[in-house]
Amino acid sequence: MGSPRSLTGPFIFLSFLPACLGMGRPLTHPMFANCLQDKFYSDCIACGDVTQLAYYNDILVGAIACRLESKGEGKAKLYIMTLGVLAPYRDLGVGTHLLEHSLRVAREDPNIEEAYLHVQTNNDGAIRFYGKHGFSIKEMIPNYYKRIDPPDCYILHKNLVVAVEGTDGAE
């Protein structure tokens, strides 16, 4: 496999704001089939700037959709519901841009301590991609998925709290 092509050209990255809903449901491509429920859209809006859409020449080519989950005591974790880039636009840095943006915005909120997602156990490309961005396998859940094979998933996890020098990061 060659080196990734560079992210050039008329790419536009937009936050998933309520105004995007005025365009209709922007995530209607089959790649985002799980994104068509009202709860999905309300979670994206509630999460603010961490959910983003990527356009190339006015065509939606990728998206990252996240939600915040409470950990109690005012703390939260970022759950990445989906990250996808259409096949012709992969290896251009679109997915990396989307993920890094979401993690950067989450780190700016001192109450968001971690990020995580579920990945099908045979999705080696996604596991490598997230591994390059500091995620690691936390656990495996058998029979997580009901309609796909294999049904097992990994939980990939990344700590967003930066340890202060001289400490181990634990409180």
Side-chain angles (χ1 to χ4, degrees), residues 95-96 99-100 103 107 128-135 158:
T96 293
L99 180 61
E100 288 179 353
L103 294 175
R107 273 193 209 96
R128 276 193 307 275
F129 173 80
Y130 287 106
K132 289 178 188 174
H133 295 280
F135 284 79
K158 179 180 176 100

Side-chain angles (χ1 to χ4, degrees), residues 1-9 11 56 61 85-97:
M1 184 166 101
S3 62
R5 298 173 287 168
S6 62
L7 183 62
T8 60
F11 282 96
Y56 183 81
V61 299
V85 177
L86 298 179
Y89 302 91
R90 293 182 187 155
D91 296 324
L92 294 173
V94 176
T96 293
H97 178 90

Side-chain angles (χ1 to χ4, degrees), residues 1 3 6 28 47 53 57 60 71 92 126 134 137-138 144:
M1 184 166 101
S3 62
S6 62
T28 57
C47 207
L53 307 175
N57 286 333
L60 178 66
K71 291 178 64 176
L92 294 173
I137 295 172
K138 186 171 184 177
Y144 177 78

Side-chain angles (χ1 to χ4, degrees), residues 2-170:
S3 62
R5 298 173 287 168
S6 62
L7 183 62
T8 60
F11 282 96
I12 298 172
F13 296 90
L14 299 172
S15 294
F16 192 91
L17 300 173
C20 290
L21 293 178
M23 301 181 318
R25 299 279 172 113
L27 303 180
T28 57
H29 188 277
M31 177 175 63
F32 304 112
N34 63 330
C35 308
L36 302 177
Q37 299 172 357
D38 290 338
K39 173 107 173 79
F40 175 88
Y41 282 91
S42 62
D43 285 346
C44 289
I45 292 166
C47 207
D49 203 26
V50 295
T51 292
Q52 226 183 21
L53 307 175
Y55 289 88
Y56 183 81
N57 286 333
D58 296 327
I59 298 167
L60 178 66
V61 299
I64 186 167
C66 306
R67 72 172 177 244
L68 291 177
E69 297 179 353
S70 175
K71 291 178 64 176
E73 299 181 20
K75 300 296 182 181
K77 53 188 172 181
L78 181 74
Y79 177 65
I80 300 171
M81 296 186 287
T82 190
L83 169 59
V85 177
L86 298 179
Y89 302 91
R90 293 182 187 155
D91 296 324
L92 294 173
V94 176
T96 293
H97 178 90
L98 291 167
L99 180 61
E100 288 179 353
H101 170 84
S102 294
L103 294 175
R104 183 175 53 255
V105 171
R107 273 193 209 96
E108 291 171 0
D109 184 332
N111 296 314
I112 302 174
E113 299 182 325
E114 62 187 283
Y116 81 103
L117 64 140
H118 294 86
V119 174
Q120 194 174 11
T121 55
N122 69 340
N123 192 341
D124 296 331
I127 293 165
R128 276 193 307 275
F129 173 80
Y130 287 106
K132 289 178 188 174
H133 295 280
F135 284 79
S136 59
I137 295 172
K138 186 171 184 177
E139 68 179 284
M140 195 270 288
I141 301 175
N143 299 313
Y144 177 78
Y145 298 109
K146 304 300 180 214
R147 296 183 198 105
I148 57 176
D149 191 52
D152 307 330
C153 81
Y154 291 125
I155 293 180
L156 301 183
H157 174 267
K158 179 180 176 100
N159 184 6
L160 298 180
V161 176
V162 178
V164 178
E165 193 172 322
T167 70
D168 64 2

